[in-house]
Amino acid sequence: RDENALKDLLNAFEAADVVGVGLLRPADVLGAFEDGERLLQQLSLTDEGRISYYAFVSWCLGGRATPVTVNWYDVSQGYAKWVPKAILGG
């Protein structure tokens, strides 16, 4: 157990963040990390195509994106059929 792990991750992220905006560009990742290509393939990017500190730390600590399935069940005993579809998202 490394007591300085989070501090080391923060230092690594800040060193890679050459622009200093708190988000890593793909070029920052490739330039700062030996396995930058693998990082880019596995990390979740923001809408702007950047990597947040939280995504970076999560990945470094073993977190991986997994698909999520949401099931919608009618627990209204049939009353849901009387609710307009627009209200139910359909």
Side-chain angles (χ1 to χ4, degrees):
R1 182 174 181 173
D2 185 3
E3 294 179 6
N4 294 318
L6 291 178
K7 189 182 301 184
D8 294 342
L9 290 174
L10 176 61
N11 291 337
F13 186 89
E14 288 178 339
D17 183 16
V18 295
V19 179
V21 295
L23 296 168
L24 299 180
R25 301 171 301 167
D28 299 336
V29 173
L30 293 173
F33 303 106
E34 289 180 16
D35 58 348
E37 193 68 43
R38 185 170 63 108
L39 278 156
L40 289 176
Q41 291 173 353
Q42 295 181 0
L43 281 169
S44 57
L45 304 177
T46 65
D47 292 339
E48 298 84 28
R50 298 187 181 213
I51 299 164
S52 71
Y53 172 71
Y54 302 105
F56 174 77
V57 169
S58 175
W59 187 87
C60 290
L61 295 177
R64 300 295 181 264
T66 56
V68 175
T69 302
V70 178
N71 296 308
W72 190 307
Y73 297 100
D74 179 7
V75 294
S76 72
Q77 299 177 352
Y79 289 106
K81 67 182 175 187
W82 301 106
V83 178
K85 290 184 180 183
I87 293 175
L88 297 176

